[in-house]
C-alpha cells in the first residue's frame, strides 16, 4: 500500500486558482475581448498570479 506524500507545490491547486482569477477578470467580455485579453496575458502585458 502506497502512502501519500506531502508536496511543497500543488500544481492542480495552483492552476485552478489561476483559472478562477482569469474567469473573474473575463466575466462580461465578449469573444473578441476575451481573445485580446488572453493574448495580452500570453505576451506578459497582464499579470495574473
Amino acid at each position: 500500500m502506497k502512502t501519500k506524500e506531502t508536496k511543497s507545490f500543488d500544481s492542480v491547486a495552483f492552476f485552478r486558482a489561476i483559472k478562477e482569477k482569469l474567469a473573474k477578470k473575463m466575466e462580461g467580455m465578449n469573444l473578441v475581448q476575451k481573445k485580446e485579453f488572453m493574448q495580452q496575458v500570453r505576451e506578459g502585458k497582464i499579470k495574473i498570479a
Side-chain angles (χ1 to χ4, degrees), residues 3 13 22 27 34 41 49:
T3 58
L22 284 170
E27 192 172 309
K34 287 180 182 181
V41 170

Side-chain angles (χ1 to χ4, degrees), residues 28-39:
M29 291 184 185
N30 63 29
L31 182 60
V32 174
Q33 292 170 326
K34 287 180 182 181
K35 285 182 178 182
E36 290 173 1
F37 176 78
M38 289 305 296
Q39 183 64 37

Side-chain angles (χ1 to χ4, degrees), residues 7 9-20:
K7 299 178 185 178
F9 177 73
D10 186 4
S11 60
V12 173
F14 175 78
F15 285 109
R16 281 185 183 155
I18 295 293
K19 184 178 94 171
E20 288 185 17

